[in-house]
Amino acid sequence: NIIVCGAPSSGKTTLVVKLASTLHENFKLRYLDLKLSHSLADIKKDLKTHINFPTIIIVDNGHLDYSMSCNLYKICQLYQNINLVFAIREISEKDRVDNQTGIDLFSISDKVFYVNPNQNNDEKIFSLINRKIEDIFQRTGIRPEIGDFNKV
C-alpha cells in the first residue's frame, strides 16, 4: 500500500491516476473518491468481487474521511490481491492515528511519497515507477525488462 501525500492542488490525484494507468494491463483499476459519501458495507461488498484478481484501488481524498481510509486498509489486509494507493493531503503527526481504528496509515504503509508541487510531473511518475520496480525486485527477485518506456 502506498500513500501519495502533498499540499492541496500539488498533483497527488493526477500522479496517482497516471501511475495506476501505467499498470492497467496487470491490474484491475478501481477509483474511490472519499469526498463522496460511501458506506463501509457497500465498499466491503464491492471489494469481494475483486479478491481473486490483482487490483489497485485508488483512494482519493483519503484525508476527508481518514477513518474510512484506515478501515479500508484494515479490510484489504485480508486480501493479498488488493493494493491501495491513497492520495491524501498532509496530516499533522498528532492526527495520523485514527481514533476509530487506532491505525496510523503513514507508519504502516509500504511507501509514503511526498509530492513536491514544484517538481516536474514526468519526474514524479518515473520516480514512483522506479521505486515500485525496485520494491517488486526486492520482494520477488524479478526485475522488469529495462529499455524504452513505451515498450516496457
Side-chain angles (χ1 to χ4, degrees):
N1 298 306
I2 298 172
I3 294 177
V4 176
C5 181
S9 300
S10 61
K12 298 176 298 294
T13 301
T14 301
L15 179 60
V16 167
V17 169
K18 284 184 177 183
L19 174 64
S21 69
T22 66
L23 303 170
H24 77 278
E25 291 180 15
N26 299 318
F27 295 90
K28 286 180 132 189
L29 301 178
R30 296 293 176 258
Y31 178 84
L32 176 63
D33 190 344
L34 292 186
K35 82 173 140 183
L36 305 173
S37 180
H38 301 279
S39 80
L40 191 57
D42 287 343
I43 292 171
K44 281 182 181 180
K45 198 182 308 179
D46 188 48
L47 285 175
K48 289 183 180 177
T49 65
H50 302 293
I51 60 175
N52 294 318
F53 307 99
T55 303
I56 295 175
I57 300 174
I58 298 168
V59 182
D60 199 5
N61 294 303
H63 56 282
L64 295 179
D65 193 343
Y66 191 64
S67 287
M68 178 68 81
S69 295
C70 292
N71 273 303
L72 282 170
Y73 176 86
K74 188 176 176 181
I75 292 164
C76 288
Q77 292 308 293
L78 303 173
Y79 309 114
Q80 284 189 336
N81 284 330
I82 297 179
N83 299 281
L84 297 169
V85 179
F86 295 95
I88 297 179
R89 284 190 188 164
E90 296 177 79
I91 298 175
S92 69
E93 292 280 334
K94 67 179 181 64
D95 293 327
R96 289 184 178 182
V97 177
D98 177 52
N99 293 331
Q100 183 183 39
T101 62
I103 292 175
D104 175 355
L105 283 179
F106 287 81
S107 67
I108 60 177
S109 289
D110 298 319
K111 300 281 183 187
V112 178
F113 298 99
Y114 292 91
V115 176
N116 177 350
N118 300 317
Q119 187 179 8
N120 180 299
N121 278 337
D122 288 341
E123 291 172 6
K124 292 176 192 175
I125 293 166
F126 287 138
S127 174
L128 283 173
I129 290 171
N130 287 333
R131 288 181 184 157
K132 188 62 179 175
I133 287 170
E134 189 60 36
D135 180 52
I136 291 168
F137 177 71
Q138 293 297 323
R139 285 187 293 117
T140 66
I142 298 171
R143 185 164 305 275
E145 176 181 317
I146 305 296
D148 180 63
F149 182 74
N150 293 321
K151 292 179 183 175
V152 175

